[in-house]
Amino acid sequence: MTLEERVEALEKEVQRLKDIEELKELKGKYFRCLDSKLWAELETTLSPNIVTSYSDGKLVFHGPKEVAGYFAQSMPDTEVTLHQGHTPEFEFESDTVAYGHWYLQDNLIFGPENQYSGTQIQGSAFYTDKY
């Protein structure tokens, strides 16, 4: 391998590591906005052509506004949420397409004004995101 080829391979590896860190930060911002109920800012973490699928495909939403609208409706201010993404794994299909696999752990706490007051739910799921 020539010096130029080694430098090019190293540059590609460094870029891949930078991309992974950016994806981690993006997911962190997503969770922060979700739990802080910052719906407009949450939209900035989503692709314009996003399609989501929850509850085994029973709930499907298209576009950042529709996704954020669903969250705003299903997570009122009387509900405290804590979503955490763990153990990310990334696979790169190409230099411009990647998939992230995340383990989700979440806690939902319903405040006194909520119809489910006094209830706390702990859940988990797996996210698969396409970037």
Side-chain angles (χ1 to χ4, degrees), residues 63-127:
K65 287 209 177 298
E66 196 172 294
V67 173
Y70 165 69
F71 289 142
Q73 179 184 1
S74 62
M75 294 178 9
D77 289 340
T78 58
E79 180 181 338
V80 176
T81 62
L82 172 64
H83 292 82
Q84 297 179 338
H86 302 283
T87 61
E89 298 175 59
F90 296 98
E91 40 185 307
F92 286 81
E93 184 175 285
S94 68
D95 289 341
T96 58
V97 177
Y99 294 88
H101 305 281
W102 299 83
Y103 181 80
L104 168 71
Q105 183 177 15
D106 64 345
N107 292 317
L108 312 175
I109 302 167
F110 300 95
E113 305 84 21
N114 192 290
Q115 65 178 343
Y116 303 108
S117 178
T119 304
Q120 181 173 345
I121 298 172
Q122 294 182 329
S124 61
F126 292 100
Y127 272 83

Side-chain angles (χ1 to χ4, degrees), residues 8-126:
E8 186 177 320
L10 182 59
E11 287 174 341
K12 188 172 182 172
E13 185 176 345
V14 168
Q15 184 60 54
R16 178 68 43 95
L17 293 171
K18 288 171 70 175
D19 291 343
I20 288 170
E21 284 305 307
E22 280 187 38
L23 294 174
K24 288 178 183 179
E25 287 181 21
L26 179 65
K27 193 66 166 185
K29 180 179 179 181
Y30 165 84
F31 286 130
R32 177 182 57 80
C33 292
L34 185 65
D35 291 331
S36 300
K37 299 175 177 32
L38 301 172
W39 308 124
E41 190 175 352
L42 179 107
E43 289 180 29
T44 69
T45 69
L46 306 172
S47 169
N49 57 353
I50 186 172
V51 177
T52 62
S53 176
Y54 305 107
S55 298
D56 292 325
K58 294 175 191 155
L59 300 170
V60 176
F61 303 98
H62 300 83
K65 287 209 177 298
E66 196 172 294
V67 173
Y70 165 69
F71 289 142
Q73 179 184 1
S74 62
M75 294 178 9
D77 289 340
T78 58
E79 180 181 338
V80 176
T81 62
L82 172 64
H83 292 82
Q84 297 179 338
H86 302 283
T87 61
E89 298 175 59
F90 296 98
E91 40 185 307
F92 286 81
E93 184 175 285
S94 68
D95 289 341
T96 58
V97 177
Y99 294 88
H101 305 281
W102 299 83
Y103 181 80
L104 168 71
Q105 183 177 15
D106 64 345
N107 292 317
L108 312 175
I109 302 167
F110 300 95
E113 305 84 21
N114 192 290
Q115 65 178 343
Y116 303 108
S117 178
T119 304
Q120 181 173 345
I121 298 172
Q122 294 182 329
S124 61
F126 292 100

